[in-house]
Amino acid sequence: MSEASRPRLSAVPGPVDRDRFWASVEDTLDELARGLVARIRAELPSYARLPEDEHFRNVRALYGTMTRSLAAGSPPDPEVLQSIRASARRRAYYDMPVYDVLAAFHYAHRDLWEALRRSELASEALLVELVGPMAHWSQAMSQAVVDAYVAQQGGREQHERETRARFFDLLHADGPGEGIADVMRELAFDPDGEFTVLVAGSRWWPRESVDALQRAGRRITGVLHVDARAGLMTVVSQGAAIDDVVALAAEVGGENRPLGIGLARTGPAGIRLGLGDAARALRLAEADGRAAVRFETEWFRATIPDLAPLIGPLLEPAARIAREQPDLADAVVAYAESGFTLRGTGSALALHPNSVSYRLSRWHQLTGLDVRSFTDLALSFAAVTEARRNP
């Protein structure tokens, strides 16, 4: 490499240096996009089918999005990946080979990296920081292209969609779902095996995202099928690590979207029960503002809203005290979650154990419920939960 072409690497950059670096990169993007479009169209003849002005707009928008994301230290968000999939579908429409499209995205990644390296304001520390994010972008773009082309497949994809819709119709039917086992086998499920159901609010899941999650499921071990109806996005999974499914949902649908996870259960009847588990867990996730709640670990709180109509007369007196005396309610919950000790409760609430003892005694005095009794503690916890759900 000649001295003229060797990148100049400076010391660790400060905030001002980073701002100047990214501003200088932004200034080169029009030229970089024009050069890339010309090279792609020269080296990949199939790109002659794509209008050149559309091609330039796509490349320039991609470069702008990539550099803003890299500068902010954020990964590609779902909207960006949807845009990439849309561009790839356009290329599929023009009958351009997927290998050419993947090659073009590789060129885009490589040319941007070279532009970053050549910048006079680049530093070794900054470039090292960008290696991982750039690789993440390359992988995400390639996967989005593949997803788009898979989605364009004809009869097989259509048959699978119809079979999947039939499966969910039978799953939600009032009756026993005659023939559901045969439909499940067509979808590569073992009808006698164990399943886990996950649900999310469908308002976060437009049809395109549901389809994208279905395609993304092919990247992990196991089988999963996805559906959206009656206000819920539903995933039925078999043989898949639940953490992998949760990670895919966050990748496709966005981080911190509430998700309910049901118990692992067996057979079609177990799936129906799992739908209820997951819906209850989702209700709790939405109430708490959490990304994911497992029914397995939070079944008690998750089922309290369903029990409330049955045991309302038992709950309401203590729930009223919980609304009027939230410090006492906090002490009850902390006691239940801190090993049933005054010291543990005090640590959780930053209180002296004597203060905790006073609050629990006061709760006993006002409600008649002694938290040292299992039944009274369970009823106290349920009453506080209901009070917080309906303040």
Side-chain angles (χ1 to χ4, degrees):
M1 179 184 293
S2 69
E3 283 298 317
S5 61
R6 190 184 304 278
R8 300 175 178 85
L9 298 180
S10 60
V12 176
V16 175
D17 296 327
R18 291 176 184 274
D19 291 344
R20 290 177 58 214
F21 170 77
W22 288 111
S24 71
V25 170
E26 178 67 26
D27 290 341
T28 68
L29 294 185
D30 284 347
E31 180 181 352
L32 191 65
R34 279 192 289 270
L36 177 64
V37 167
R39 186 156 70 89
I40 288 174
R41 299 177 82 83
E43 297 182 16
L44 301 171
S46 66
Y47 267 78
R49 304 167 197 166
L50 183 68
E52 188 169 357
D53 59 342
E54 178 183 338
H55 191 186
F56 174 79
R57 288 195 304 273
N58 291 164
V59 171
R60 180 60 181 83
L62 176 64
Y63 273 152
T65 299
M66 286 182 69
T67 54
R68 287 191 297 273
S69 171
L70 293 168
S74 59
D77 62 40
E79 290 75 19
V80 170
L81 296 180
Q82 286 177 12
S83 175
I84 292 172
R85 286 191 287 268
S87 294
R89 285 197 299 273
R90 272 293 274 175
R91 284 147 179 75
Y93 172 80
Y94 285 111
D95 204 28
M96 297 160 63
V98 65
Y99 306 103
D100 285 2
V101 179
L102 288 170
F105 275 87
H106 174 70
Y107 291 171
H109 174 272
R110 186 175 63 188
D111 283 10
L112 179 58
W113 176 247
E114 287 301 317
L116 299 179
R117 290 181 64 247
R118 288 195 303 269
S119 171
E120 293 186 355
L121 297 173
S123 71
E124 183 173 11
L126 180 56
L127 292 174
V128 168
E129 288 177 7
L130 291 173
V131 170
M134 286 288 289
H136 187 180
W137 261 97
S138 179
Q139 180 181 2
M141 289 191 298
S142 297
Q143 187 62 54
V145 170
V146 171
D147 284 349
Y149 269 75
V150 168
Q152 290 297 111
Q153 292 180 4
R156 187 179 66 82
E157 284 288 321
Q158 181 61 30
H159 175 71
E160 183 176 301
R161 280 195 294 271
E162 292 171 354
T163 305
R164 186 180 304 116
R166 175 66 176 153
F167 165 64
F168 281 101
D169 286 343
L170 292 170
L171 198 60
H172 288 281
D174 293 333
E178 196 70 31
I180 192 171
D182 292 335
V183 175
M184 292 170 72
R185 291 188 185 94
E186 281 198 63
L187 294 173
F189 279 146
D190 172 8
D192 300 319
E194 194 172 76
F195 299 85
T196 303
V197 178
L198 303 88
V199 299
S202 60
R203 66 185 180 279
W204 303 116
W205 288 87
R207 172 50 59 182
E208 184 178 44
S209 294
V210 172
D211 292 343
L213 180 58
Q214 181 65 60
R215 293 190 296 272
R218 298 187 179 98
R219 291 160 28 204
I220 63 174
T221 301
V223 180
L224 60 86
H225 288 282
V226 189
D227 180 67
R229 66 179 69 194
L232 291 177
M233 184 279 293
T234 303
V235 180
V236 178
S237 66
Q238 183 177 63
I242 295 306
D243 287 345
D244 289 344
V245 181
V246 171
L248 281 182
E251 174 188 322
V252 174
E255 298 283 349
N256 301 318
R257 302 299 195 201
L259 192 68
I261 304 166
L263 288 176
R265 297 180 183 271
T266 302
I271 298 175
R272 292 190 180 95
L273 291 172
L275 283 168
D277 298 342
R280 292 179 179 92
L282 174 64
R283 181 173 58 196
L284 185 56
E286 291 177 334
D288 289 355
R290 286 189 281 166
V293 167
R294 294 175 182 258
F295 187 81
E296 178 181 8
T297 57
E298 306 216 33
W299 60 269
F300 185 62
R301 284 188 64 209
T303 54
I304 287 172
D306 300 310
L307 292 173
L310 298 176
I311 59 174
L314 296 175
L315 292 180
E316 186 49 40
R320 178 176 55 80
I321 300 301
R323 296 184 189 100
E324 295 171 355
Q325 305 278 349
D327 56 333
L328 304 186
D330 290 343
V332 168
V333 172
Y335 181 76
E337 295 179 344
S338 301
F340 317 115
T341 67
L342 299 180
R343 185 179 298 277
T345 306
S347 296
L349 297 176
L351 292 174
H352 191 278
N354 289 344
S355 297
V356 174
S357 180
Y358 169 78
R359 293 188 182 188
L360 295 178
S361 296
R362 183 66 174 154
W363 174 264
H364 185 189
Q365 179 184 6
L366 294 174
T367 65
L369 299 175
D370 184 354
V371 296
R372 292 171 298 180
S373 157
F374 172 78
T375 301
D376 283 3
L377 176 59
L379 188 57
S380 296
F381 191 92
V384 173
T385 300
E386 183 62 13
R388 290 175 174 176
R389 192 173 73 91
N390 293 303

